[in-house]
Amino acid sequence: DFSGLAVGTKYHIGDTVNARHATITFEPYTMGGNPVGEAANFAEAQQAKIAGGAPPEMGLKTLTVKVVPIQPVTRVRMKLAQNMTPTGGFGISNFEVNGEKHEGPSFASANGKRLGGAEISANLVNVNPSSNWYVGTFELRAKPGGSISSFSIGGHTFRLDDMCFAQ
């Protein structure tokens, strides 16, 4: 969870956080492989529970979060919420596992994809039409005998919480 971060703390492209189990770097959000929205890119520890965990959670605005676990892991799981854009669609979602990148229309569109030696499971568990938030879980599972040494996730407007690693 993000309870160790002071609510209201903002992070920008190039910032790094050395957490207990991983190093987290904030990177550009991309569309078609090109950085987008540099002036608006930020992440913030927010006193909310939109993603479904206990507050605080990490809010992302046109930003990608790269996570490098201290030791490679075989599984990563998190709660994730994605907001629709003002035009009624989803912004492009950014994913990376072990250096292999993928862009998709929504986090749920990544379900069943294989990336960087891991399979993605993205499950939508709640849609709140009144607020335009699509909430679910996002999981990476390494192929048998493999591991996850880095992963990234980003989007136009995301909320992350309860990120768990398994060896």
Side-chain angles (χ1 to χ4, degrees), residues 133-153:
W133 285 103
Y134 287 66
V135 180
T137 58
F138 189 85
E139 185 173 348
L140 303 171
R141 285 186 182 264
K143 289 189 221 175
S147 65
I148 300 165
S149 58
S150 74
F151 67 93
S152 300
I153 187 164

Side-chain angles (χ1 to χ4, degrees), residues 147-166:
S147 65
I148 300 165
S149 58
S150 74
F151 67 93
S152 300
I153 187 164
H156 184 275
T157 309
F158 272 15
R159 299 289 179 98
L160 308 174
D161 208 356
D162 294 349
M163 189 177 291
C164 298
F165 300 147

Side-chain angles (χ1 to χ4, degrees), residues 62-83:
T62 59
L63 195 73
T64 298
V65 176
K66 181 170 186 149
V67 179
V68 178
I70 300 299
Q71 296 179 347
V73 297
T74 59
R75 183 174 166 232
V76 177
R77 184 168 198 219
M78 69 190 81
K79 293 180 179 176
L80 180 63
Q82 182 177 17
N83 197 289

Side-chain angles (χ1 to χ4, degrees), residues 16-156:
T16 299
V17 173
N18 292 312
R20 194 169 96 187
H21 300 292
T23 300
I24 301 166
T25 306
F26 299 91
E27 297 186 339
Y29 167 70
T30 61
M31 289 178 62
N34 299 309
V36 175
E38 287 94 15
N41 301 85
F42 71 92
E44 181 178 19
Q46 298 176 329
Q47 189 67 25
K49 55 181 182 177
I50 294 170
E57 63 188 13
M58 181 62 69
L60 306 177
K61 181 69 173 169
T62 59
L63 195 73
T64 298
V65 176
K66 181 170 186 149
V67 179
V68 178
I70 300 299
Q71 296 179 347
V73 297
T74 59
R75 183 174 166 232
V76 177
R77 184 168 198 219
M78 69 190 81
K79 293 180 179 176
L80 180 63
Q82 182 177 17
N83 197 289
M84 294 180 76
T85 65
T87 58
F90 288 112
I92 297 297
S93 298
N94 296 173
F95 307 105
E96 172 268 328
V97 180
N98 295 333
E100 187 177 345
K101 295 182 179 183
H102 172 76
E103 290 182 2
S106 68
F107 84 84
S109 73
N111 188 47
K113 299 228 182 274
R114 294 192 178 274
L115 195 61
E119 184 172 345
I120 298 172
S121 175
N123 297 302
L124 200 58
V125 295
N126 184 27
V127 177
N128 185 343
S130 65
S131 68
N132 293 330
W133 285 103
Y134 287 66
V135 180
T137 58
F138 189 85
E139 185 173 348
L140 303 171
R141 285 186 182 264
K143 289 189 221 175
S147 65
I148 300 165
S149 58
S150 74
F151 67 93
S152 300
I153 187 164
H156 184 275

